[in-house]
């Protein structure tokens, strides 16, 4: 059985691990011993590792599992605000000490937050990797890395109505976790390397329409949509990907394909 490493067993890491568990032995990291014990009890191989944004007195110990892994998926946040490039650099140094010179397939979960002030439709070319400190630092060390800029993570207990929402006429750039898992799976099968993709559902309704759908409020009004729409068309054309959840207004509905 192939082996996959997931650095950061948080909300999205857990769902990726769950999706891969039938085909892969899963190795993962978490930030507390208690959580590591619980994961080891579920037959995952978990170790405690957090990657602080300061220099350590002793260099980080290399992950014992790393040489056996076929795939590595990094879900810890590496997007830094421009003020703190040095702390981001330290965090990535600690991470790279942990994973060494891993040569296999790597996925980095980044964010559509890199397009902070954009308006209208945006693609990967609008903000290249070189302009995003965290992405650039990882790519310099691991040129084979696939960088996935994820939209707002949704599905299960994560619905827009559970959050405090402003700017109701702004477009959403959301992604259902099931599509993230499928996209990673397809890229692993294809052996894809060194790609940059936006990962957002292809429809970008305004927040108010998503909220109304989730609250069962009839919605017939045409809203003029503001803000940015982060397009995933490059991913769709290169991977011939068909979204399981193309419309954020339906994320709360149980998909019959599963």
């Amino acid at each position: 059985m192939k082996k996959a490493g997931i650095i950061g067993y948080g909300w999205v890491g857990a769902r990726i691990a769950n999706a891969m568990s039938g085909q892969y032995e899963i190795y993962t990291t978490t930030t507390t011993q208690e959580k590591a014990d619980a994961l080891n009890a579920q037959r995952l191989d978990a170790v405690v590792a957090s990657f602080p944004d300061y220099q350590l007195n002793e260099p980080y110990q290399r992950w014992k599992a790393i040489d056996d892994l076929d795939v590595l998926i990094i879900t810890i946040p590496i997007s830094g605000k421009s003020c703190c490039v040095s702390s981001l650099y330290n965090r990535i140094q600690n991470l790279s000490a942990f994973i060494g010179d891993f040569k296999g397939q790597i996925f980095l979960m980044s964010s559509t937050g890199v397009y902070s002030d954009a308006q209208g439709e945006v693609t990967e070319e609008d903000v290249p990797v070189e302009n995003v400190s965290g992405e650039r630092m990882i790519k310099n060390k691991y040129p084979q890395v696939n960088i996935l800029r994820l939209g707002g993570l949704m599905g299960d207990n994560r619905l827009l109505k559970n959050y405090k929402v402003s700017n109701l006429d702004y477009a959403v750039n959301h992604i259902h976790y099931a599509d993230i898992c499928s996209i990673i799976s397809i890229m692993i099968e294809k052996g894809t390397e060194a790609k940059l993709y936006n990962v957002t559902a292809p429809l970008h309704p305004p927040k108010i329409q998503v909220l109304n759908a989730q609250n069962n409020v009839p919605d017939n009004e045409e809203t003029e949509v503001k803000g940015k729409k982060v397009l995933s068309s490059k991913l769709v054309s290169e991977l011939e990907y068909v979204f399981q959840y193309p419309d954020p207004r339906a994320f709360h509905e149980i998909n019959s394909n599963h």
Side-chain angles (χ1 to χ4, degrees):
M1 201 182 245
K2 285 192 161 181
K3 297 177 165 69
I6 298 174
I7 292 186
Y9 194 89
W11 192 86
V12 76
R15 281 155 181 77
I16 295 169
N18 191 39
M20 296 177 82
S21 62
Q23 301 155 288
Y24 290 84
E25 281 179 42
I26 305 290
Y27 295 75
T28 190
T29 72
T30 182
T31 49
T32 67
Q33 190 59 51
E34 191 182 8
K35 197 167 172 190
D37 292 342
L39 294 174
N40 283 314
Q42 296 169 33
R43 310 208 25 205
L44 297 171
D45 189 304
V47 297
V48 177
S50 60
F51 303 96
D53 50 13
Y54 49 84
Q55 272 186 312
L56 300 169
N57 299 331
E58 308 244 324
Y60 223 92
Q61 290 295 310
R62 197 155 165 275
W63 195 7
K64 288 193 174 70
I66 195 75
D67 292 331
D68 298 328
L69 299 181
D70 299 286
V71 181
L72 184 64
I73 299 166
I74 301 169
T75 74
I76 60 167
I78 54 88
S79 55
K81 300 288 175 272
S82 52
C83 67
C84 324
V85 171
S86 59
S87 36
L88 185 62
Y89 175 80
N90 289 334
R91 167 173 285 197
I92 288 171
Q93 288 296 102
N94 291 330
L95 173 66
S96 60
F98 184 68
I99 59 181
D101 60 347
F102 185 72
K103 296 282 193 282
Q105 210 179 13
I106 302 185
F107 293 85
L108 175 68
M109 303 299 116
S110 185
S111 161
T112 54
V114 303
Y115 307 108
S116 52
D117 304 322
Q119 291 291 320
E121 297 186 335
V122 290
T123 68
E124 293 84 354
E125 287 166 7
D126 290 307
V127 180
V129 168
E130 292 68 45
N131 296 9
V132 183
S133 306
E135 292 181 358
R136 184 180 68 243
M137 290 177 198
I138 296 272
K139 189 156 181 77
N140 285 344
K141 287 184 180 292
Y142 306 100
Q144 78 272 33
V145 69
N146 293 302
I147 298 172
L148 303 184
R149 291 176 176 166
L150 306 181
L153 303 173
M154 294 288 164
D156 283 355
N157 54 340
R158 283 207 178 181
L159 296 173
L160 194 60
K161 68 177 183 180
N162 300 337
Y163 296 85
K164 198 172 168 187
V165 183
S166 56
N167 299 338
L168 294 179
D169 51 353
Y170 275 61
V172 300
N173 294 287
H174 287 171
I175 181 67
H176 194 289
Y177 72 84
D179 280 307
I180 300 172
C181 297
S182 298
I183 288 161
I184 291 173
S185 169
I186 288 170
M187 291 175 74
I188 290 173
E189 276 170 41
K190 289 180 182 285
T192 306
E193 295 204 318
K195 288 291 185 184
L196 170 66
Y197 289 135
N198 292 332
V199 182
T200 52
L203 296 178
H204 301 270
K207 294 176 191 175
I208 185 67
Q209 289 186 2
V210 177
L211 290 170
N212 286 341
Q214 292 173 1
N215 290 315
N216 288 323
V217 174
D219 188 336
N220 316 325
E221 291 188 32
E222 285 296 307
T223 312
E224 189 199 339
V225 187
K226 296 180 185 164
K228 63 175 182 259
K229 295 182 179 178
V230 179
L231 303 185
S232 54
S233 34
K234 180 181 167 193
L235 172 148
V236 169
S237 66
E238 292 188 4
L239 298 179
E240 298 179 342
Y241 187 68
V242 179
F243 280 82
Q244 299 171 40
Y245 289 88
D247 189 347
R249 287 166 292 205
F251 280 9
H252 61 295
E253 297 166 7
I254 301 299
N255 191 325
S256 55
N257 301 339
H258 293 273

